[in-house]
């Protein structure tokens, strides 16, 4: 029954979303507390991944003997010529469900007898088990054992929280309180309790090392979270650099030159440019700001516009290039991987091989607008190409095709979200085919992952551009 009483004594239904979304963090906290409790009983532990652990002194062979479910699943996969390493997630899931027995009432005495029999059969007999228990009891009986564990936890808690905040802060401007507790507990597994971690977080908050922020999960739901003083300082440096760079440099091109460059680039593009792209490119080329921001919705060709602008500016960098054999034939689609203004080649530009002359070692390439050029297959300058069968969603921004095939793995949390999915499906003019490992899980993943970004600095602290000094151009 889904019912609980609120503070006023009224019956209400329970909203389980937060519990569901935090189930992994809750499970990690449970295992961390269990590890501390096992050490308090006098046992030593051996840490594994994801806050898992084993009791030191119990051999892997014995542990394996008690892993009945794993053995059942592996046996079912073996019947089908598969292993846990070669089977797909779906195949392993099927094997798991097929070997799962219905739950039934089990007499505890019978269960203990079965455990002892399994241990005996694995070579962990009564004598060995009792020796391990006696050793643990001797350790736990020492007068300072409990005090040492508590003191160790107090000393390690701050280090654990600092480590967790630094690790999470490297990847996210804002992270959830639950993730911070989970990561800190993983660092101090068996040595730090959840209460000690919570107290250390509070101390770091009061000291200004952690700063409260609202964390938005992949579905856009709000949770308590933090950023770090380091992240805030880094963002302030970036904002200060942008502010000090306003009006500080000469424009790359004059307004007339910029207009010509934009018109020329738009003609060379394999898709039509809209007014927003043209205006953004002109603003970039004529800006007197050292840093210029380009804002636009997902899939509005921000990347394409910026790259085209840089090509017109003529930016070039030295790079090391090692030739790799590439088998091509007539009909293959290729992509250029380096800018070459003299030959009118654009990094990321596409072409189709229309003919190959094996005698002269040349290939004829037709561009998206029908223009042709010849590649010398033995010339290093002409070897900056690759097959263009597939592209990432990031690289495909700004492109359009009649038919699009999308590979979307529901487990790729950093690659599949609402924004990236929109970019992918909006590339097609006529049809889209989506291939995924699990349709239901993909739908759920997209619903749960909004693809929202965080900043460590609060929006109110970000300086607005002065009149006449636009931060950038917008694409709609």
């Amino acid at each position: 029954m889904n019912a609980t009483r609120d503070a006023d004594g009224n019956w209400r239904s329970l909203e389980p979303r937060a519990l569901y979304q935090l189930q992994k963090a809750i499970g990690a906290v449970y295992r961390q507390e269990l590890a501390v409790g096992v050490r308090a009983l006098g046992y030593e532990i051996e840490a594994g991944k994801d806050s898992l652990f084993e009791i030191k002194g119990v051999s892997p062979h014995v542990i394996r003997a008690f892993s009945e479910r794993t053995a059942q699943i592996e046996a079912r996969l073996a019947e089908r010529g598969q292993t846990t390493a070669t089977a797909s997630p779906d195949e392993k899931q099927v094997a798991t469900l097929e070997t799962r027995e219905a739950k039934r009432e089990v007499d505890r005495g019978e269960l203990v007898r079965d455990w002892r029999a399994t241990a005996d059969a694995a070579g962990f007999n009564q004598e060995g088990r009792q020796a391990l228990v006696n050793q643990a009891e001797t350790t736990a009986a020492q007068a300072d054992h409990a005090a040492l564990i508590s003191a160790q936890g107090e000393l390690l808690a701050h280090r654990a929280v600092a480590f967790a905040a630094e690790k999470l802060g490297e990847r996210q401007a804002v992270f959830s309180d639950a993730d911070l507790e989970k990561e800190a507990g993983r660092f101090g597994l068996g040595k730090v309790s959840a209460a000690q971690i919570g107290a250390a977080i509070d101390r770091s908050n009061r000291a200004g090392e952690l700063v409260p922020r609202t964390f938005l999960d992949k579905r856009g739901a709000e949770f308590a979270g933090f950023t770090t003083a380091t992240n805030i300082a880094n963002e302030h440096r970036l904002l200060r650099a942008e502010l000090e760079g306003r009006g500080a440099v000469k424009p790359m091109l004059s307004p007339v030159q910029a207009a010509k460059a934009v018109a020329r680039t738009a003609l060379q593009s394999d898709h039509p440019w809209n007014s927003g792209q043209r205006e953004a490119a002109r603003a970039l080329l004529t800006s007197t700001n050292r840093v210029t921001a380009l804002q636009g919705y997902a899939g509005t060709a921000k990347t394409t516009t910026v790259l085209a602008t840089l090509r017109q500016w003529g930016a070039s960098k030295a790079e090391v290039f090692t030739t790799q054999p590439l088998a091509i034939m007539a009909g293959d689609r290729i992509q250029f991987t380096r800018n070459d203004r003299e030959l009118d080649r654009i990094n990321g530009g596409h072409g189709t091989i229309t003919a190959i002359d094996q005698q002269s070692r040349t290939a004829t390439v037709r561009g998206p607008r029908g223009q042709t050029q010849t590649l010398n297959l033995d010339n290093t300058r002409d070897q900056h190409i690759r097959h263009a069968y597939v592209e990432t969603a990031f690289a495909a921004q700004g492109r359009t095709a009649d038919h699009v095939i999308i590979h979307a793995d529901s487990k790729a949390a950093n690659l599949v979200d609402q924004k990236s999915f929109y970019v992918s499906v909006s590339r097609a003019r006529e049809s889209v085919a989506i291939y995924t490992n699990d349709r239901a899980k993909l739908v759920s993943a997209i619903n749960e992952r909004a693809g929202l970004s965080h900043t460590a600095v609060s929006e109110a602290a970000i300086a607005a551009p002065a009149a006449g000094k636009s931060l950038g151009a917008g694409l709609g």
Side-chain angles (χ1 to χ4, degrees):
M1 180 180 294
N2 181 12
T4 187
R5 274 183 171 172
D6 61 17
D8 298 326
N10 300 314
W11 287 98
R12 295 284 187 268
S13 61
L14 181 68
E15 169 53 60
R17 179 183 300 177
L19 292 176
Y20 174 78
Q21 291 175 316
L22 296 174
Q23 59 181 324
K24 289 186 178 179
I26 293 171
V29 171
Y30 163 75
R31 292 190 294 273
Q32 291 155 9
E33 286 293 284
L34 181 62
V36 172
V38 168
R39 287 194 66 235
L41 292 174
Y43 296 94
E44 295 183 56
I45 66 171
E46 295 178 333
K49 65 178 183 178
D50 297 329
S51 298
L52 296 172
F53 67 93
E54 302 293 350
I55 295 177
K56 192 173 183 179
V58 179
S59 71
H61 175 67
V62 175
I63 295 171
R64 180 74 177 174
F66 278 90
S67 302
E68 295 181 3
R69 288 293 295 129
T70 300
Q72 292 170 353
I73 294 168
E74 289 179 346
R76 182 57 58 90
L77 290 173
E79 292 175 2
R80 296 166 179 165
Q82 297 278 6
T83 67
T84 53
T86 61
S88 68
D90 285 343
E91 290 169 332
K92 285 186 280 191
Q93 178 70 5
V94 169
T96 300
L97 295 175
E98 288 179 346
T99 56
R100 178 178 294 168
E101 297 181 359
K103 294 186 180 296
R104 58 186 180 86
E105 290 290 334
V106 179
D107 178 71
R108 180 171 176 79
E110 178 186 347
L111 195 60
V112 171
R113 287 192 294 273
D114 286 344
W115 288 341
R116 288 173 176 170
T118 300
D120 289 339
F124 192 38
N125 57 24
Q126 175 63 28
E127 182 180 355
R129 298 194 296 271
Q130 192 60 51
L132 186 61
V133 171
N134 291 342
Q135 182 181 0
E137 290 178 343
T138 299
T139 300
Q142 295 176 4
D144 60 350
H145 177 68
L148 284 174
I149 288 182
S150 178
Q152 183 185 45
E154 292 294 336
L155 291 172
L156 191 60
H158 185 268
R159 283 180 54 199
V161 170
F163 169 84
E166 182 179 2
K167 180 179 179 180
L168 294 171
E170 288 178 350
R171 297 164 175 80
Q172 301 168 269
V174 177
F175 42 84
S176 72
D177 180 37
D179 282 342
L180 180 63
E181 292 178 356
K182 181 176 70 173
E183 199 62 48
R186 184 180 298 167
F187 177 85
L189 181 64
K191 301 174 183 177
V192 186
S193 69
Q196 290 169 330
I197 289 173
I201 291 174
D202 289 340
R203 289 194 296 272
S204 295
N205 184 10
R206 291 194 298 270
E209 297 168 352
L210 291 173
V211 181
R213 287 285 186 268
T214 298
F215 173 78
L216 299 178
D217 72 355
K218 293 167 183 174
R219 295 183 62 180
E222 294 186 357
F223 290 87
F226 293 99
T227 188
T228 66
T230 300
N231 279 358
I232 292 175
N234 288 339
E235 289 192 8
H236 275 304
R237 279 196 293 271
L238 290 173
L239 292 171
R240 186 165 56 251
E242 186 279 326
L243 184 63
E244 293 172 350
R246 295 178 187 176
V249 297
K250 293 181 179 180
M252 291 183 278
L253 298 176
S254 69
V256 174
Q257 291 172 323
K260 292 180 179 179
V262 171
R264 183 168 57 250
T265 303
L267 287 174
Q268 295 172 347
S269 175
D270 58 0
H271 68 278
W273 279 31
N274 59 37
S275 59
Q277 288 173 271
R278 293 174 183 271
E279 180 55 36
R282 282 193 293 268
L284 290 170
L285 291 168
T286 59
S287 174
T288 59
N289 298 338
R290 180 171 282 111
V291 179
T292 305
L294 186 65
Q295 182 177 351
Y297 294 111
T300 55
K302 298 182 298 296
T303 303
T304 301
T305 304
V306 171
L307 291 177
T309 302
L310 291 176
R311 285 192 292 270
Q312 290 300 327
W313 179 38
S316 61
K317 296 182 180 293
E319 58 182 280
V320 177
F321 174 70
T322 303
T323 60
Q324 299 289 339
L326 180 69
I328 58 174
M329 59 189 300
D332 283 352
R333 280 176 52 81
I334 63 168
Q335 183 180 52
F336 292 103
T337 59
R338 185 179 185 182
N339 291 324
D340 192 325
R341 297 183 65 190
E342 184 179 343
L343 296 177
D344 196 26
R345 294 174 188 169
I346 300 172
N347 184 12
H350 287 117
T352 302
I353 303 293
T354 58
I356 294 180
D357 189 328
Q358 296 292 353
Q359 186 174 358
S360 63
R361 296 287 297 159
T362 59
T364 302
V365 180
R366 184 182 67 246
R369 295 190 175 277
Q371 70 276 24
T372 62
Q373 57 180 293
T374 301
L375 301 181
N376 185 336
L377 301 179
D378 294 325
N379 187 337
T380 301
R381 184 176 184 178
D382 290 346
Q383 292 176 352
H384 293 275
I385 59 174
R386 71 172 181 86
H387 286 118
Y389 299 131
V390 296
E391 285 185 315
T392 64
F394 177 81
Q397 293 183 87
R399 301 194 185 282
T400 307
D402 291 336
H403 308 283
V404 171
I405 298 174
I406 301 172
H407 172 248
D409 189 335
S410 65
K411 301 188 300 301
N414 295 327
L415 300 177
V416 177
D417 57 39
Q418 292 170 20
K419 287 189 175 181
S420 66
F421 190 72
Y422 170 77
V423 170
S424 299
V425 299
S426 61
R427 300 308 90 198
R429 296 188 186 94
E430 297 182 14
S431 70
V432 177
I434 302 171
Y435 291 83
T436 181
N437 60 309
D438 190 301
R439 178 174 180 170
K441 288 182 180 178
L442 177 64
V443 173
S444 176
I446 293 172
N447 285 332
E448 292 177 358
R449 301 168 188 165
L452 301 175
S453 301
H454 302 267
T455 59
V457 178
S458 62
E459 291 186 9
I462 300 176
K469 291 186 178 181
S470 174
L471 263 174
L475 297 176

